[in-house]
Amino acid sequence: MTMAYPTLPQSQRAWTFSTWGLPREILTLNENYAVPPPPAKADLLIRVSHVGLNPGCYVAMASIPPLVRRLVSWNTTYVAEGEFSGVVHLAGPAAPEHLQPGTRVFGCLPVSNLIAGNGTLAEYFVVPAESVARIPPAMDWPEAAGLAGGGQTAVNMLLGANLREGTRVLVNGGSGGVGTMVVQLAKAHGAYVVATCSGANEELVKSLGADEVVDYRANAPLPAYLAKTYGTQPFEYIFDTIGTQALFVYSPAYLRPEGLLVNVGNFEGPGVTIWRAILNTYLPRILGGVPRRYAMISTTPEGGKAAGLARMVEERRLQVVVDEVFEFEDALKAYDRMLARNAKGKIIIKVQDV
Ligand SMILES: NC(=O)c1ccc[n+]([C@@H]2O[C@H](COP(=O)([O-])OP(=O)(O)OC[C@H]3O[C@@H](n4cnc5c(N)ncnc54)[C@H](OP(=O)(O)O)[C@@H]3O)[C@@H](O)[C@H]2O)c1
């Protein structure tokens, strides 16, 4: 059963762009952006409460020309971002019973929606029901907005790893949106976690469960420090949330021969990410390839995984670290914070009271 259509306004406020560049160059607060039509099939139209920023979105904003976006959509105006918390406002005819109007939900969008520019930094947007989960009663809106993106990315990073009690892992970037999740989930699997971060974030990362913290600035260059400190007790897994290429290149000095480095991207754009992933995965050793396994993963949102993370938060086995909550009008300040690349956990934007 769907709610009556007249409850839906025709226009809304949204942060939009129509070319490529950095947020301050191209993003504008559009006061008159069209609200999507009532959802079809099992889609949900969400009234957004909060949005979690993902650096991948501004990197994509700066590196994907509109011509490429036109390959997946006829849109010429694009809404930023892809993570959210909010309320189901309208549900498509095939939407499941537990996701009907009025339900508090959170989640993130599939990559295709992000490229098409049907983003979440707006009062309303549409998402497939399979990509969302219900927000437990004890969880607040900013926490919920910050859980899906970093949390599901961390789950996917750990998916191919056989973590047991005492498995030695290195988390590169333990204080960021993804890293804070990887540290906690790896600990939940019993791993012995060494994490990198700046000295100022050492206490935070330890409080999340890291057994050791390496200040990557004070101990630069990091690969040489790791070789010296962990060469005799190498890691089984390296979870790199930063995309530090040197970490893989020199990994034979601190990653076991059968070990695996899992990368989730970098701040330099999709071209660099794809090129490095190809080289790191396929370049034969005889041509200079690194004699260690490498995996590049990307996040496909799944409501089931989001629900599992929410359960962990509810049971106090996982926490969402929120760096700062910005007002909707201050979205550009939130992006300045993100571009500084020293967020503690997730940067959140409040869109509206729901
Ligand atoms: N593949 C996917 O599906 C997917 C999904 C989500 C995100 N991602 C990607 O994952 C990456 C991380 O995202 P995020 O949300 O975690 O980013 P983020 O929170 O914005 O990253 C900021 C953090 O990075 C840390 N940092 C910066 N340079 C570092 C370095 N050289 N060594 C160690 N830590 C460093 C900072 O630590 P300090 O302040 O302590 O220095 C800060 O905590 C991005 O490239 C993003 O695009 C990919």
Side-chain angles (χ1 to χ4, degrees), residues 14-190:
W15 280 94
T16 64
F17 59 101
S18 51
T19 179
W20 52 330
L22 289 169
R24 277 215 176 260
E25 299 162 355
I26 64 166
L27 264 185
T28 54
L29 179 51
N30 191 332
E31 299 278 353
N32 202 21
Y33 191 68
V35 172
K41 301 178 184 167
D43 285 348
L44 308 171
L45 192 141
I46 305 295
R47 185 166 151 80
V48 182
S49 172
H50 286 71
V51 166
L53 294 193
N54 173 353
C57 290
Y58 86 70
V59 169
M61 222 184 268
S63 53
I64 303 181
L67 208 61
V68 173
R69 291 186 186 270
R70 292 291 284 274
L71 295 176
V72 295
S73 160
W74 288 111
N75 287 347
T76 52
T77 303
Y78 313 107
V79 179
E81 295 304 322
E83 300 172 14
F84 72 95
S85 59
V87 169
V88 177
H89 193 74
L90 294 176
E97 272 306 307
H98 70 287
L99 295 176
Q100 291 301 305
T103 313
R104 284 166 24 108
V105 292
F106 75 103
C108 55
L109 289 172
V111 171
S112 56
N113 290 45
L114 295 179
I115 296 175
N118 299 319
T120 58
L121 200 50
E123 291 174 321
Y124 298 89
F125 76 100
V126 171
V127 61
E130 66 193 13
S131 300
V132 313
R134 295 167 69 130
I135 302 175
M139 219 169 139
D140 67 26
W141 294 114
E143 273 182 308
L147 177 58
Q152 289 187 79
T153 303
V155 168
N156 288 353
M157 287 183 93
L158 267 53
L159 216 53
N162 178 21
L163 296 185
R164 307 164 309 282
E165 204 57 41
T167 304
R168 292 178 65 77
V169 311
L170 175 71
V171 180
N172 190 35
S175 52
V178 177
T180 49
M181 289 286 156
V182 178
V183 168
Q184 294 179 81
L185 294 178
K187 277 311 291 179
H189 282 86

Side-chain angles (χ1 to χ4, degrees), residues 225-239:
Y225 177 82
L226 295 174
K228 187 174 66 171
T229 314
Y230 302 103
T232 53
Q233 278 187 298
F235 300 105
E236 285 177 56
Y237 296 97
I238 298 176
F239 300 111

